[in-house]
């Protein structure tokens, strides 16, 4: 599973070198962070609606769109999926209450 995220991260980095008229991702980068964040918001809303509707295929489709646009945001910020995975691994085994308590310190 991580292989797919890493492959996507590599493609997203390559798209930084393309012009906006050659690539959707390059056009997102060209429009800037605010536009990328707006896309994340739109995809998050569509994911919520799909979940409320209970359509499993649509939930998967919209979640993929949401993850994709989050990956674009990470790449825009010089980050990759490995940092997020490392954070999830750090949290593994902690209860949600313990994790929240650690944030305060």
């Amino acid at each position: 599973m991580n292989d797919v995220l890493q492959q996507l991260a590599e493609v997203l980095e390559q798209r930084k070198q393309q012009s906006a008229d050659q690539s959707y991702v390059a056009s997102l980068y060209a429009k800037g962070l605010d536009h990328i964040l707006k896309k994340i918001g739109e995809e998050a809303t569509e994911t919520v609606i799909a979940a409320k509707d209970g359509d499993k295929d649509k939930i998967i489709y919209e979640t993929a769109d949401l993850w994709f646009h989050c990956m674009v945001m990470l790449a825009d910020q010089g980050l990759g999926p490995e940092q997020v995975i490392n954070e999830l691994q750090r949290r593994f085994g902690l209860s949600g209450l313990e994790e929240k308590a650690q944030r305060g310190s």
Side-chain angles (χ1 to χ4, degrees):
M1 182 168 43
N2 287 351
D3 291 343
V4 171
L5 294 178
Q6 191 55 46
Q7 289 171 352
L8 177 57
E10 290 168 11
V11 169
L12 295 176
E13 282 300 316
Q14 292 168 3
R15 295 298 187 264
K16 289 180 178 180
Q17 308 307 315
Q18 292 186 325
S19 68
D21 61 348
Q22 290 180 309
S23 159
Y24 170 70
V25 172
S27 73
L28 290 174
Y29 291 139
K31 291 174 184 173
L33 181 60
D34 285 347
H35 185 77
I36 294 167
L37 297 176
K38 181 180 175 192
K39 287 300 296 180
I40 290 172
E42 291 171 7
E43 299 303 342
T45 300
E46 291 171 4
T47 301
V48 168
I49 292 168
K52 289 288 283 179
D53 291 344
D55 183 336
K56 292 185 184 337
D57 289 336
K58 197 168 182 183
I59 293 167
I60 292 166
Y61 183 89
E62 295 301 345
T63 300
D65 280 352
L66 176 59
W67 287 13
F68 176 84
H69 286 88
C70 286
M71 292 277 296
V72 172
M73 179 268 303
L74 288 170
D76 183 70
Q77 298 296 298
L79 299 168
E82 62 277 358
Q83 285 96 349
V84 177
I85 290 168
N86 289 342
E87 176 61 15
L88 289 171
Q89 287 174 332
R90 183 191 71 77
R91 294 180 188 185
F92 195 80
L94 288 179
S95 77
L97 296 176
E98 288 174 315
E99 195 279 325
K100 279 188 172 187
Q102 286 182 1
R103 282 191 239 162
S105 55

